[in-house]
Amino acid sequence: MRKILRGAEHQQGPGRRNDRYFIRQRRLWKNRDFDVIGFGRHDNNTKAQHYVKKDLFDLTADDLKGFDAVVDAFGAWTEDTLPLHSTSLKHLCDILSGTDTRLVIVGGAGSLYVDADHTTQLVDTPDFPDAFKPLATAMGKALSELRSRDDVKWTYISPAADFQADGERTGKYLLAGETFTLNEKGESVISYADYAIALVDEIEKGDHIQERISAVRA
């Protein structure tokens, strides 16, 4: 299997950090017999053995031919770049439209629903940090637009609310759906390491085409 981990080309910050982290997990990918190729507009500093220097918006349908899955780990954090969450995802959808190549998105937690009727999202709750509301809103808008794409084999994976870059790798996670989920300890937390396992499991199994799923530490 081949897949792309596409860099967060337009912004420094956590978005680039999680993209680099997923590319670094060479043992994880190798154990699943995946051939990893990184894409980004910057020079390769991700430790990816195979890398193509190219801006996301310059990618074409021909660039993605032959790949089984594309992993979108885009990150933009400033007010002027937040709309890129929508435009970058739309571009990837447009060039993957009508193909068998899967699009797997590293999503956000703010759009998870906190009620059974799916009317209230986590971002709308009183305790959601104000500093992250613009980002959560932008990512939620991108997800809403993604749901209309029945021409693309997409899967959107939301992490837990506490997404820990340096958290422990336990090798265990709970797979949930659209609803904000806590583990037995009442926590909504997952490390990058355990999220990466959930992401690779989904790429391998392909059980949730055109669905949003979520992962939390078991």
Side-chain angles (χ1 to χ4, degrees):
M1 175 179 284
R2 304 181 72 198
K3 71 172 190 359
I4 301 171
L5 285 102
R6 190 256 321 148
E9 297 92 343
H10 295 273
Q11 180 99 355
Q12 295 288 338
R16 283 184 62 80
R17 187 175 184 183
N18 66 37
D19 183 71
R20 290 171 181 170
Y21 180 89
F22 297 135
I23 291 177
R24 285 204 309 269
Q25 305 309 297
R26 280 183 285 180
R27 179 177 296 180
L28 177 60
W29 302 119
K30 187 176 181 180
N31 288 345
R32 308 297 183 95
D33 196 27
F34 288 170
D35 181 16
V36 178
I37 297 178
F39 269 86
R41 72 172 183 174
H42 299 283
D43 291 334
N44 182 20
N45 55 8
T46 64
K47 298 184 180 179
Q49 292 181 313
H50 307 287
Y51 187 86
V52 176
K53 185 178 178 180
K54 194 169 188 178
D55 189 279
L56 179 153
F57 290 100
D58 293 330
L59 290 176
T60 68
D62 285 341
D63 289 325
L64 304 185
K65 283 183 179 178
F67 287 97
D68 294 279
V70 173
V71 176
D72 176 18
F74 181 84
W77 295 80
T78 60
E79 183 178 356
D80 59 321
T81 60
L82 288 177
L84 292 172
H85 283 281
S86 286
T87 55
S88 63
L89 190 51
K90 180 181 184 300
H91 178 68
L92 289 175
C93 285
D94 287 346
I95 61 178
L96 290 174
S97 177
T99 72
D100 288 327
T101 302
R102 296 182 56 210
L103 176 60
V104 182
I105 300 101
V106 178
S111 58
L112 289 167
Y113 292 100
V114 297
D115 61 330
D117 295 330
H118 289 182
T119 58
T120 303
Q121 295 180 328
L122 185 62
V123 66
D124 300 318
T125 59
D127 293 332
F128 195 88
D130 289 339
F132 291 103
K133 284 185 178 180
L135 174 62
T137 300
M139 296 186 75
K141 179 176 181 292
L143 172 59
S144 179
E145 294 163 351
L146 178 67
R147 293 184 193 277
S148 69
R149 300 298 300 247
D150 58 5
D151 57 328
V152 179
K153 293 184 176 181
W154 60 267
T155 302
Y156 188 99
I157 309 178
S158 288
D162 186 2
F163 197 15
Q164 299 180 342
D166 301 316
E168 177 187 5
R169 184 188 190 278
T170 69
K172 299 178 181 179
Y173 65 90
L174 301 175
L175 189 65
E178 295 275 359
T179 303
F180 178 66
T181 302
L182 303 177
N183 60 22
E184 291 183 352
K185 296 180 180 179
E187 301 169 328
S188 174
V189 60
I190 195 166
S191 64
Y192 278 22
D194 286 340
Y195 179 94
I197 295 172
L199 183 146
V200 173
D201 284 346
E202 176 56 31
I203 293 173
E204 189 171 56
K205 297 175 183 177
D207 290 337
H208 300 92
I209 305 297
Q210 296 183 349
E211 294 181 23
R212 188 261 288 276
I213 57 177
S214 54
V216 61
R217 178 187 296 165

